[in-house]
Structure formats: C-alpha cells, structure tokens
Amino acid sequence: MLNSKYTILCDCDSTIENLEIAWNDWLNKKYNLSVKIEDWTDWDLKHHFPSLTQEQIFEPLFEADFWKTVPPKPDAQKYLKKLWDKGFPIYIVTASHPLTIGAKYEYLIKKHFPFIPSENIIFIYNKHLLSGWYLIDDGIHNFGGNYKGLLYDCPWNRKEDEKALGVKRVYNWKEIYEYLIKEDVEVKYISNKDFNIDSLKSGFKMPFSVI
C-alpha cells in the first residue's frame, strides 16, 4: 500500500495514452467497420461492435505489435515529466491481463514514459486498495479509495455525475498539471499559515517554501 501525501496514482489506458484510438482503428480496419470513438458511450464494447464476438473485440490487446501503435495523450509526456522533475512520486496503476503486461510495458510505457522506473508501474485491478494524494483515471469505478480523484473525460464516462462522487472532471494534461501545482501550493500555504513570523528573529527557518 502506498502512503504519501503527494503520491500521484495515474491510470494508463485512455489517461496517459489513447488506447481507444488504436483499438478502434484496428477493429475498423480488420472488419471493415466505421465505428467512431464518440460511439463508445459505455464500458461494454459489445454494444458498439455488435457484429463481433468478445474474442474478436479483445484480440488486438494480445498482439504485441498492437501496443506499438498506441499513442500517448497530447502533452501527457511533457506534464508528467514536469511533475516528476518537481519531486512528485508518480505511480502508473493499470488493470491489465497478465498476457498483455510485457508488451504494454515494453512498447508503450517504457517507450513514451522512460523517466518512470519499472518499480513505479503497478498492475492492479482493485485500485481502491492503494493510498495516495490523487488518482487520475477515466474509470469512475476506480475511485473511492484513500485518495482524491481526477476523472479524465472520455465518452464512456460523460453520463457520470462526478460532483456527486466527489471527484473533479479534467480534460487535458495541461489542466491536470496546473490543478495539481495549485493544490500543492495551497496545501503548503494552509500548513504554514499559523507560522509565527517572530520565530525568524530567533533564528528559526520556515519548514518549507510556498513558492
């Protein structure tokens, strides 16, 4: 169990990368379909690909070369790296079938996010078992653990009332970065606001800066 005030737990699929784009393109091309990402309005892909079997829908996830085609989310690399460089502990927490883990790590996470060490990659379905500062995820079902939530906006979660669930909906990585930096400064400010400035005269130093 992770337990750090500033630990950022970050989902992988459809949060730091666009799995849905590569997946949708793969199925459309192989089966001559014309499904659009905006049609993915719930979690059951059988609703969006009714002519395909469950095995056909999930087939690409078990092909190693498929993971080479999954692109990162715009600016995800840039802003995750900035958070990492500022000293935030970042863990990629992703639910994955055991047979897909190797290719997903080698061709996607390691390739596009090389600054995140392998020991900071957690393959887990029950994310509520973890603790941290914030979880960033597209799945509303993953919230409710010992962390605050940022819901990454996607077509399949737009029917969800994030306010009722106590999480904040976010739309891009620039917004996420700016929000977390603002939260970080506010937490430090609140921690320091009762500090007695007169203590400086006695040679004491501020425990940390709000800048």
Side-chain angles (χ1 to χ4, degrees):
M1 179 180 291
L2 308 176
N3 190 10
S4 172
K5 182 186 294 184
Y6 297 109
T7 292
I8 297 171
L9 309 173
C10 189
D11 178 40
C12 184
D13 299 332
S14 303
T15 299
I16 64 172
E17 39 87 324
N18 280 318
L19 171 63
E20 70 278 10
I21 291 178
W23 198 349
N24 195 71
D25 288 348
W26 194 95
L27 293 175
N28 278 339
K29 182 177 180 180
K30 180 164 185 177
Y31 296 106
N32 194 28
L33 301 172
S34 57
V35 178
K36 299 177 181 179
I37 291 296
E38 293 302 314
D39 296 332
W40 291 34
T41 54
D42 62 49
W43 286 88
D44 189 352
L45 294 185
K46 196 70 173 69
H47 292 165
H48 321 312
F49 298 93
S51 63
L52 304 183
T53 65
Q54 199 81 344
E55 290 74 19
Q56 289 172 324
I57 292 173
F58 285 91
E59 179 185 355
L61 303 188
F62 296 93
E63 294 192 6
D65 285 345
F66 167 77
W67 291 99
K68 298 177 182 179
T69 71
V70 178
K73 286 277 189 188
D75 292 329
Q77 297 155 297
K78 173 183 176 181
Y79 287 112
L80 273 175
K81 182 63 163 59
K82 291 183 73 170
L83 289 167
W84 181 265
D85 289 344
K86 285 183 176 293
F88 289 95
I90 298 174
Y91 288 80
I92 303 300
V93 295
T94 179
S96 301
H97 190 283
L99 296 180
T100 71
I101 288 175
K104 184 175 185 176
Y105 171 71
E106 189 68 27
Y107 300 130
L108 176 62
I109 300 174
K110 183 179 177 181
K111 176 182 177 181
H112 296 298
F113 304 91
F115 53 90
I116 297 180
S118 59
E119 58 265 30
N120 284 39
I121 314 299
I122 301 175
F123 294 95
I124 184 171
Y125 281 90
N126 298 316
K127 297 179 185 180
H128 64 275
L129 296 176
L130 302 173
S131 295
W133 185 35
Y134 272 95
L135 170 66
I136 308 166
D137 207 301
D138 66 300
I140 203 77
H141 53 278
N142 288 318
F143 298 108
N146 187 25
Y147 41 70
K148 294 184 280 188
L150 295 179
L151 177 66
Y152 202 104
D153 182 72
C154 292
W156 49 88
N157 64 35
R158 288 178 187 153
K159 296 178 183 177
E160 305 290 349
D161 184 354
E162 67 276 7
K163 293 181 180 179
L165 294 165
V167 301
K168 174 179 173 60
R169 186 178 294 272
V170 290
Y171 297 88
N172 57 66
W173 271 96
K174 181 176 185 292
E175 178 187 5
I176 292 170
Y177 174 79
E178 292 176 347
Y179 180 82
L180 291 176
I181 293 301
K182 180 175 181 291
E183 282 279 283
D184 177 43
V185 171
E186 288 182 352
V187 167
K188 291 179 177 179
Y189 172 76
I190 292 170
S191 298
N192 269 325
K193 70 178 184 178
D194 294 326
F195 182 79
N196 185 356
I197 195 66
D198 290 335
S199 64
L200 291 174
K201 298 177 182 179
S202 302
F204 292 103
K205 295 182 179 180
M206 292 284 281
F208 44 68
S209 172
V210 298
I211 298 176

